DNA sequence: CCGAGAAACTTACAACTAGAACTATTAAAG
DNA sequence: CTTTAATAGTTCTAGTTGTAAGTTTCTCGG
């Protein structure tokens, strides 16, 4: 069951395999979460990253803040916001206190669409089956892994 | 700290925010793991997905099995294996028992490169800081979410 | 004040990714 | 045995992603 084709299983190698499985699980779950978003977002004519961005835009954000929340590079946020702006869902305004930055603000259409999106995303989340205590321990462990 | 710009925080909305944070953590950790692989793999002239594929090829696999282990679509596995085959690291052989399937086998160069890769990937894994007990609970929780 | 360095954002590019459509083969039902 | 459905793999396309390079603006030490 556990990669029997590997060489002799010293402690170090066994530990490496456990870590690999753990990473694989995190990765698989991440894909499943993205898939969940993608399946729901298509009903609103949004792609998964577009939906994620819209979800995070509960209040005004800079590009950098959005990129951090989406766990992606700023260049990628630029790409996604370009699409949302083309659809008239979000607006790039000059930042009031920093002329380098942009302030992302939802348009009225963006606000109503976001409300619908939040409702849709709530149904059948992959994390729904956990008790509150389990969610806390999981949150704690994940945060620690994030260095 | 916790999205104070959201509307009135009913229990349902608060729960939704917790779930969102949890998904965000999983996603962020997944990106960090991929980044870790990418940074190490570049020393071997491999991209992150190529390194992941090579890592999983400890024994012969079909394309479908590899895609499952990489948590991606088969079409994507085709793309990655094309690159590894171009580099002479892996070989597509006819499957002995199923003429539809291919059997992926590492070449001698692939085997030696994989050994070096495993050594390199072991250093400073994002999951290294956990005790064995923590790893087990984490594994348990992640598996349940995957269902 | 001013120059060096850092930060925010964008652009261009190369790579990865999922989904749909397609062929070839197998398995299952009749 | 034959028709039907399911599976393995590939190709094609549109969309996403990270890196590197470049511009503008801010910050801070002198």
């Amino acid at each position: 069951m556990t990669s029997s084709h590997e060489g002799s299983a010293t402690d170090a190698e066994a530990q490496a395999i456990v870590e690999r499985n753990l990473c694989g699980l995190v990765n698989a779950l991440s894909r499943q979460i993205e898939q969940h978003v993608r399946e729901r977002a298509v009903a609103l004519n949004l792609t998964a990253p577009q939906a994620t961005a819209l979800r995070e835009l509960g209040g005004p954000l800079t590009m950098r803040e959005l990129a951090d929340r989406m766990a992606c590079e700023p260049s990628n946020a630029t790409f996604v916001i370009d699409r949302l702006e083309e659809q008239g869902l979000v607006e790039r305004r000059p930042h009031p206190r920093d002329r380098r930055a942009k302030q992302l603000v939802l348009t009225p259409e963006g606000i109503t669409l976001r409300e619908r999106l939040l409702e849709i995303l709530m149904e059948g989340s992959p994390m729904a089956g956990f008790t509150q205590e389990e969610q806390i321990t999981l949150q704690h462990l994940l945060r620690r892994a994030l260095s």
Side-chain angles (χ1 to χ4, degrees), chain A residues 14 17 23 31 47 58 88 96 105 109 116 120 132:
Chain A
I17 292 173
C23 291
R31 302 286 177 107
T47 65
V105 184
E109 298 84 24
R116 280 211 283 156
I120 289 178
Q132 193 161 2

Side-chain angles (χ1 to χ4, degrees), chain A residues 46-124:
Chain A
L46 293 172
T47 65
Q50 287 168 18
T52 304
L54 192 59
R55 185 188 63 190
E56 296 300 330
L57 280 169
L61 292 179
T62 67
M63 296 295 292
R64 159 61 71 183
E65 288 167 342
L66 178 63
D68 286 343
R69 295 197 187 202
M70 294 180 68
C72 71
E73 297 301 314
S75 66
N76 185 16
T78 296
F79 180 86
V80 175
I81 291 299
D82 280 349
R83 298 298 114 75
L84 292 181
E85 204 173 23
E86 287 170 2
Q87 299 179 49
L89 298 173
V90 67
E91 201 180 338
R92 267 186 255 233
R93 290 204 231 158
H95 193 281
R97 309 185 65 82
D98 187 342
R99 272 181 299 176
R100 295 172 297 179
K102 306 285 173 66
Q103 197 173 43
L104 302 172
V105 184
L106 292 184
T107 64
E109 298 84 24
I111 291 174
T112 55
L113 191 62
R114 188 179 108 96
E115 285 169 4
R116 280 211 283 156
L117 177 66
L118 291 185
E119 288 175 8
I120 289 178
L121 288 181
M122 248 193 288
E123 305 162 1

Side-chain angles (χ1 to χ4, degrees), chain A residues 18-34:
Chain A
V18 170
E19 269 182 35
R20 225 183 295 165
N21 287 339
L22 219 46
C23 291
L25 281 173
V26 173
N27 191 32
L29 185 52
S30 177
R31 302 286 177 107
Q32 181 172 303
I33 291 169
E34 195 185 9

